[in-house]
Amino acid sequence: MDIKFNQNEDHNKLLVSDLKKRFAKVKLGGGEKSIEKHHAKGKMTARERINYLLDPKSKSIEIGAFAGEGMYEQYGGCPSGGVVVKMGYIKGKQCIVVANDATVKAGAWFPITGKKNLRAQEIAIENRLPIIYLVDSAGVFLPMQDEIFPDKEHFGRIFRNNAVMSSMGITQIAAVMGSCVAGGAYLPIMSDEALIVDKTGSIFLAGSYLVKAAIGESIDNETLGGATTHCEISGVTDYKAKDDKDALDKIRNIVDKIGDFDKAGYNRTDSKKPKENPDDIYGILPKSRADQYDMKEIIKRLVDNSEFDEYKQDYGKTIITAYARIEGWAVGIVANQRKLVKNKKGEMQFGGVIYNDSADKATRFIANCNQKKIPLVFLQDVTGFMVGSKSEHSGIIKDGAKMVNAVSNSVVPKFTIVLGNSYGAGNYAMCGKAYDPRLIAAWPSAELAVMSGNSAAKVLLQIETASLKKKGEKITKEKEEELFNKIKDRYDDQVSPYYAASRIWTDGVIDPLDTRTWISMGIEAANHAPIEKPFNMGVLQV
């Protein structure tokens, strides 16, 4: 091991340590005092409910753990977007579980809460996975109602998705474990089966205070919409549970009876661990996002037996295309090579840049994987497409468009891991969020933006100094440096993987060592949804 490896290792392990600290804070939801108050009511927290519901010692992944981080500070924040979403196993069946966190503003819906719930439903729809809702919410967060209520991707879209999923045969089970008010009352009732916890669960379009104000009727909430009312009088709910654990046990028993599913038929053999030590990733991945490294060494530590078969190994070398297995699943890997390479003409090409030949190779490989029904895994560390007269005259825009077209029209499931840079059109061509990866996760080393903080700061500095000079201000070298640092600091905050995760541009920030689990569980989920249309790139010439 050389000194650079050790420096990289120290840096990346510190990033993972920071990730774990951030996650530990997020797991507290509204804080320890809020959790104590929740427990005093005889209720489990959202995370406790999910942990009890999922099979003991089984694998799971959390979607959107950092949603809302750094947002809504004027209202006290919204950890995890006020809702916890996990993909895991119930009685051996893979499911999505969505649980309102009532320790965060009584489970009220912020704009990011709606976006996260829609993402959970999207995953269930794409993969035909059963979805379980553990409802405990005071409804829309009124100070921000204009950002959560009326638009297409707002609160109401959730109920529309309930109806669509039911028509698709996707099982939906809801447990009312706390408040379920106004529009939110539709979610459990639009599910296929609904449970309600006695004394703590309630469903009504308007609570007792509003009923009194609206029609003058005096009634308590329990009589208005409690478990006895809805299980014995209205027939709105299907099962009454005595407490949280009883409700969760009933859900487990319902899921246990669900029949088998039609499979997409992705190839899987026995899982084998990488021969190369995955821990080495920390030392291989450089501290600086500008430094070069060999992506093949990363791939060896992610794939079974550290074995992969390269497609067009000596052509288009700034993108690696290879067949491999991850936890037994056959995958096609499209990865940015991050070291300097020589092209067929003997010219040096920069690592992390997509050239004409590499775009052409990736397009052909993606088409092959679609023909063979092999899921695609994109490993992003990309600065963008090559620029300059030589590239433009060679038709880089056309070759780049072909690659984007192939990614857009791909019918096999796609999974994206952002290792390092994810800049500009490179993000698009390498299957960024806009291109519907089934799951997209970032390592703590990731940066997502139009360009690097350094490059952006230089561009923005030119614009700002020109504007100040027009106003008659004299720009000294010191003033220019001060402006540059101010712009760069602001921009660097926005390229952080946590900034992206807080807005659900990615599904999470993960330890590199969890990558195999994310991809494997993602493909297993995708195997629930057979491909319904052929691969077709339209009129664009390949």
Side-chain angles (χ1 to χ4, degrees), residues 162-465:
N162 288 142
V164 169
M165 281 192 278
S166 187
S167 73
M168 293 171 69
I170 298 170
T171 299
Q172 299 174 85
I173 303 167
V176 180
M177 310 180 84
S179 296
C180 193
V181 185
Y186 287 103
L187 186 145
I189 310 314
M190 293 192 73
S191 298
D192 302 315
E193 294 186 85
L195 305 83
I196 187 167
V197 179
D198 197 21
K199 300 296 186 284
T200 56
S202 59
I203 310 171
F204 33 66
L205 295 182
S208 56
Y209 292 119
L210 186 54
V211 167
K212 177 69 174 174
I215 63 172
E217 181 184 1
S218 295
I219 190 170
D220 64 272
N221 282 337
E222 182 63 25
T223 307
L224 181 66
T228 299
T229 295
H230 286 310
C231 286
E232 298 180 20
I233 301 172
S234 72
V236 164
T237 49
D238 307 308
Y239 308 92
K240 184 197 287 187
K242 62 183 179 182
D243 55 26
D244 281 8
K245 288 186 177 179
D246 186 37
L248 298 169
D249 286 337
K250 288 180 187 299
I251 292 172
R252 287 178 58 79
N253 289 335
I254 294 168
V255 172
D256 190 39
K257 311 299 188 299
I258 296 174
D260 204 357
F261 56 91
D262 294 333
K263 296 174 179 64
Y266 302 119
N267 186 293
R268 192 179 199 185
T269 58
D270 292 337
S271 174
K272 294 177 182 176
K273 292 181 180 179
K275 284 182 179 176
E276 302 288 346
N277 185 0
D279 286 351
D280 291 346
I281 288 171
Y282 300 130
I284 295 165
L285 197 67
K287 179 178 178 179
S288 169
R289 293 275 40 84
D291 285 356
Q292 303 279 297
Y293 66 96
D294 190 351
M295 180 64 83
K296 292 180 185 178
E297 294 302 317
I298 298 286
I299 294 172
K300 286 177 186 176
R301 287 151 179 86
L302 294 177
V303 300
D304 290 11
N305 260 345
S306 299
E307 295 174 347
F308 56 92
D309 300 308
E310 273 198 74
Y311 171 83
K312 290 186 179 289
Q313 180 176 351
D314 298 318
Y315 176 74
K317 294 181 183 178
T318 65
I319 283 184
I320 299 163
T321 49
Y323 298 108
R325 290 189 182 275
I326 293 178
E327 292 200 356
W329 293 104
V331 295
I333 295 173
V334 181
N336 302 110
Q337 175 58 289
R338 277 307 313 268
K339 69 174 187 177
L340 283 168
V341 295
K342 259 184 193 175
N343 69 6
K344 56 192 175 185
K345 297 176 183 177
E347 301 164 330
M348 296 306 296
Q349 294 181 328
F350 297 104
V353 179
I354 302 176
Y355 290 77
N356 298 71
D357 52 359
S358 48
D360 173 65
K361 176 172 82 170
T363 301
R364 292 171 183 272
F365 181 73
I366 290 165
N368 281 344
C369 287
N370 274 271
Q371 186 184 53
K372 296 173 184 174
K373 206 156 71 170
I374 299 173
L376 287 159
V377 174
F378 292 84
L379 302 178
Q380 281 195 12
D381 195 344
V382 58
T383 53
F385 287 89
M386 191 58 190
V387 296
S389 61
K390 187 175 179 182
S391 290
E392 297 294 358
H393 296 171
S394 298
I396 187 65
I397 295 174
K398 184 172 67 175
D399 288 327
K402 290 174 186 175
M403 183 176 173
V404 170
N405 186 296
V407 173
S408 302
N409 285 300
S410 181
V411 295
V412 294
K414 299 167 291 194
F415 303 89
T416 302
I417 305 294
V418 186
L419 286 65
N421 305 324
S422 181
Y423 298 152
N427 169 281
Y428 302 157
M430 291 295 294
C431 198
K433 182 66 183 289
Y435 292 81
D436 295 326
R438 296 293 176 98
L439 292 173
I440 176 170
W443 289 0
S445 48
E447 292 187 356
L448 293 85
V450 172
M451 61 184 76
S452 71
N454 201 55
S455 299
K458 286 177 182 176
V459 173
L460 292 168
L461 178 66
Q462 290 176 35
I463 296 168
E464 193 153 338
T465 52

Side-chain angles (χ1 to χ4, degrees), residues 519-537:
I519 294 170
S520 173
M521 286 189 67
I523 298 174
E524 184 181 351
N527 205 34
H528 288 70
I531 295 170
E532 296 176 347
K533 64 177 184 177
F535 176 66
N536 185 342
M537 286 183 62

